[in-house]
Amino acid sequence: MEKILVLDFGGQYDQLIARRIRSAGVYAEIEPYSSLSLSGLKARGYSGIVFTGGPDSVYEPGAPSFDPEILGAGIPVLGICYGAQLMAFLAGGEVGPAESGSEYGRAELRLCGGEAGAESGSAPGADGGGPACALFEGVPAESVCWMSHTDCVRELPEGFVRAASTPGCLNAAFYDPSRSLYALQFHPEVTHTEFGQRMLVNFVYSVCGCSGGWTAGDIAASTVSRLREELAGKRVLLALSGGVDSSVAAEMLRRAIGDRLVCVFVDHGLLRKGEADLVERAFRPRLGGGLIRVDASERFLGRLAGVADPEEKRKIIGEEFIRVFEEEAGKLGHIDALAQGTIYPDIVESGKGGAAVIKSHHNVGGLPERMGFSEIVEPLRMLFKDEVRQAGLELGLPEELVMRQPFPGPGLAVRITGEITREKVRLLQEADAIFREEIDAFLRTEGGFRADQYFAVLTDTRSVGVMGDYRTFGYTLALRCVTTDDFMTAEFTRLPWDLLERVSGRVTGEVPGISRVVYDVSSKPPATVEWL
Ligand code: XMP
């Protein structure tokens, strides 16, 4: 399969580069610059390489770099921002602080010699009438690009030709067509660069010679075939949480290594209504005896008895999870690797470079260290959530599993204030299911709002009510619905009153024990999405 390598030097937009190339129909994967040698890179058979941006200065000691022979390896390279400076630096050009100071934001890009022409740089022998720069096919002579840099390429290396400038940056684009090396000081991957996508398309098709045709659905097939090779003869253990990521990882691994995959699904008794059965229904037919469902609810609820402090609840659940998992793993005999559903944003959040870092708040984050696994397999580490979902659907996983909203590892424990009891968990499961069902139905039939996460919280506030001729003294249920892009900040969703009224009526009518329903109108910040 043809593929492009995005060699990551720590830029802010690296993931966007890979995404844009994939959306142009060619598979692209990101690797930290330090994780690959030149020979390792060559062995992977990339059609082209992109050097990304990054925060460093190429001329500082210890700055991220790569084997200079990459430039003569016969593989097309596109350098972007830091990557452009690195390319120039490795090829013998001069890089230094931009004389006109740092340039940030919108800039007017002007192609040298008009749309088709190329102008000589400082390279001896370059002539002003050289071949048109392939990156700029179909790009007008003047357009807008987006810059973000403090250094610049002051002098082009030998053999390179200037292709475009901005008022603040003479060498905004340059190239050496004989070696298929191309460099852009600006960022083609951001939408503010008017013809940026066109430039990336030109790179992968005209320069790298890709034929395209790849779609996000192909992720599934290509990952499965890669895993099959990498895990030949190995036994792999996966902690299946029932969330989207671990479910998709499980299905990919199952297809790749069959019964050498064992999935342990720990039901801590704090899942949403019907969730444990949903996971089992989806995976039992696929995994058979390779799925171990551990009902550890007694154990978890026992340890949580009498605990009201949220942090203590989280700690107990994390520890207990590891203990149960260790016990189950201990019964399985030799296992070669632990698999996890880490996705690309998890890696970005944990800091990049070097070996894969396991996110500390990942549900099974403590496992690899505690269990001494020498090998960690992360089949989804290149993908974004929407790509993971698409792969899951492609693999035939049920839509209700694949399209579900995020659910915290500690489960309903962080949605019950005060002490947790089996009865409280049951009340919350019932009420939460009603709320989610009504929102889903409303969105399907009427729409009119966007809801990224919605759930119920059982508070420990009880209040007086009246039903029939009787006094009630039930719990207060809080409904939470937020609109957010990244869950770092969130706004409460302005839900229609009639929807809230219907939910309130159903919950108080169908879930005895809850006598009052309130709607949470807090945004994040100052609140968080979860209550605890
Ligand atoms: P907060 O409450 O921090 O939540 O605003 C942001 C997002 O993270 C989810 N969340 C968790 N996910 N383990 C997880 O896997 C956790 O411990 C955890 N706590 C919060 C939350 O549901 C929301 O989507």
Side-chain angles (χ1 to χ4, degrees):
M1 181 185 74
E2 57 187 19
K3 58 187 175 189
I4 301 287
L5 170 68
V6 176
L7 200 59
D8 179 0
F9 290 98
Q12 285 177 61
Y13 311 112
D14 304 353
Q15 72 280 19
L16 265 184
I17 302 172
R19 247 200 130 125
R20 299 254 182 267
I21 294 174
R22 293 201 287 246
S23 73
V26 177
Y27 180 66
E29 60 190 25
I30 307 172
E31 290 287 353
Y33 75 93
S34 54
S35 70
L36 277 177
S37 64
L38 179 59
S39 56
L41 183 152
K42 281 182 178 166
R44 292 201 188 175
Y46 291 110
S47 305
I49 302 169
V50 178
F51 288 178
T52 75
D56 298 87
S57 287
V58 290
Y59 47 82
E60 295 288 352
S65 191
F66 203 76
D67 189 332
E69 293 198 8
I70 183 78
L71 302 182
I75 311 170
V77 182
L78 169 64
I80 294 176
C81 196
Y82 179 88
Q85 294 160 14
L86 181 65
M87 180 186 284
F89 189 71
L90 294 177
E94 190 194 324
V95 179
E99 273 153 21
S100 51
S102 56
E103 203 182 6
Y104 185 84
R106 184 190 155 94
E108 300 292 331
L109 183 73
R110 180 185 283 267
L111 303 188
C112 297
E115 187 176 342
E119 181 183 286
S120 78
S122 59
D127 75 64
C133 179
L135 285 191
F136 295 135
E137 277 168 26
V139 176
E142 290 178 21
S143 64
V144 170
C145 71
W146 201 84
M147 287 282 195
S148 176
H149 66 118
T150 46
D151 287 339
C152 69
V153 174
R154 292 177 169 179
E155 201 150 323
L156 294 178
E158 197 171 322
F160 279 77
V161 180
R162 182 181 312 125
S165 303
T166 65
C169 179
L170 182 64
N171 295 313
F174 48 93
Y175 66 118
D176 174 353
S178 67
R179 289 188 286 172
S180 293
L181 303 177
Y182 292 79
L184 301 173
Q185 180 56 67
F186 57 91
H187 289 269
E189 69 276 22
V190 304
T191 49
H192 313 288
T193 295
E194 265 182 301
F195 291 88
Q197 180 68 5
R198 177 79 208 206
M199 296 168 201
L200 291 173
V201 164
N202 287 342
F203 177 67
V204 295
Y205 288 99
S206 305
V207 177
C208 302
C210 291
S211 49
W214 182 89
T215 68
D218 297 341
I219 289 173
S222 60
T223 309
V224 169
S225 69
R226 182 172 56 78
L227 290 171
R228 193 171 290 137
E229 270 173 45
E230 288 176 6
L231 297 172
K234 293 185 177 166
R235 272 187 99 204
V236 178
L237 178 60
L238 174 88
L240 184 66
S241 71
V244 181
D245 304 336
S246 68
S247 296
V248 174
E251 182 56 13
M252 285 178 170
L253 283 159
R254 183 193 72 82
R255 293 190 181 215
I257 63 171
D259 60 9
R260 284 183 283 114
L261 171 70
V262 184
C263 293
V264 175
F265 170 50
V266 179
D267 176 1
H268 52 28
L270 294 153
L271 298 171
R272 288 167 288 192
K273 187 182 177 187
E275 188 158 30
D277 292 337
L278 169 67
V279 174
E280 177 149 18
R281 260 201 319 278
F283 284 99
R284 181 66 67 198
R286 292 176 156 82
L287 296 167
L291 172 65
I292 298 173
R293 173 175 169 174
V294 187
D295 180 0
S297 54
E298 286 296 338
R299 192 171 166 159
F300 276 86
L301 294 175
R303 280 215 54 202
L304 287 166
V307 177
D309 178 66
E311 277 311 301
E312 208 180 324
K313 284 180 187 171
R314 282 177 177 268
K315 230 172 101 204
I316 290 172
I317 292 171
E319 276 174 15
E320 204 58 22
F321 185 89
I322 289 175
R323 206 156 297 149
V324 174
F325 195 86
E326 276 173 344
E327 283 173 20
E328 293 303 320
K331 297 177 196 163
L332 293 170
H334 179 74
I335 298 282
D336 298 285
L338 181 78
Q340 302 211 113
T342 316
I343 65 173
Y344 188 73
D346 298 338
I347 293 174
V348 175
E349 282 162 24
S350 350
K352 302 191 250 180
V357 190
I358 312 302
K359 205 176 153 188
S360 59
H361 65 268
H362 193 282
N363 295 353
V364 294
L367 283 174
E369 216 178 304
R370 291 274 297 263
M371 301 185 68
F373 277 102
S374 54
E375 198 175 335
I376 305 290
V377 181
E378 296 174 318
L380 310 176
R381 63 194 297 274
M382 299 298 168
L383 306 183
F384 287 86
K385 196 78 164 187
D386 58 333
E387 292 176 316
V388 172
R389 289 203 160 110
Q390 181 140 10
L393 293 175
E394 201 71 21
L395 290 164
L397 290 176
E399 198 171 327
E400 50 181 336
L401 194 70
V402 171
M403 301 313 284
R404 62 206 346 223
Q405 6 168 352
F407 185 63
L412 299 182
V414 294
R415 295 179 181 172
I416 295 175
T417 65
E419 195 184 340
I420 297 170
T421 62
R422 212 172 248 290
E423 178 58 6
K424 280 184 170 179
V425 173
R426 194 191 60 78
L427 291 181
L428 179 55
Q429 283 174 330
E430 294 299 328
D432 177 71
I434 291 172
F435 182 45
R436 286 186 293 117
E437 193 183 304
E438 287 296 336
I439 294 232
D440 293 342
F442 200 96
L443 284 172
R444 263 196 317 275
T445 54
E446 302 183 48
F449 61 88
R450 182 181 138 194
D452 296 298
Q453 196 172 4
Y454 39 101
F455 54 87
V457 175
L458 190 73
T459 77
D460 57 356
T461 298
R462 299 229 257 165
S463 68
V464 174
V466 54
M467 283 181 92
D469 291 328
Y470 294 96
R471 176 188 192 269
T472 57
F473 189 53
Y475 288 106
T476 305
L477 185 84
L479 305 177
R480 181 89 169 119
C481 180
V482 295
T483 308
T484 174
D485 285 321
D486 55 10
F487 298 92
M488 306 296 280
T489 59
E491 266 188 85
F492 74 86
T493 309
R494 283 149 176 82
L495 289 181
W497 285 115
D498 50 350
L499 167 61
L500 286 168
E501 185 180 14
R502 193 151 59 237
V503 175
S504 171
R506 277 195 62 191
V507 168
T508 47
E510 295 173 32
V511 192
I514 296 178
S515 54
R516 197 174 287 259
V517 176
V518 298
Y519 186 52
D520 181 350
V521 290
S522 330
S523 290
K524 173 186 180 178
T528 53
V529 174
E530 303 290 347
W531 272 37
L532 304 176

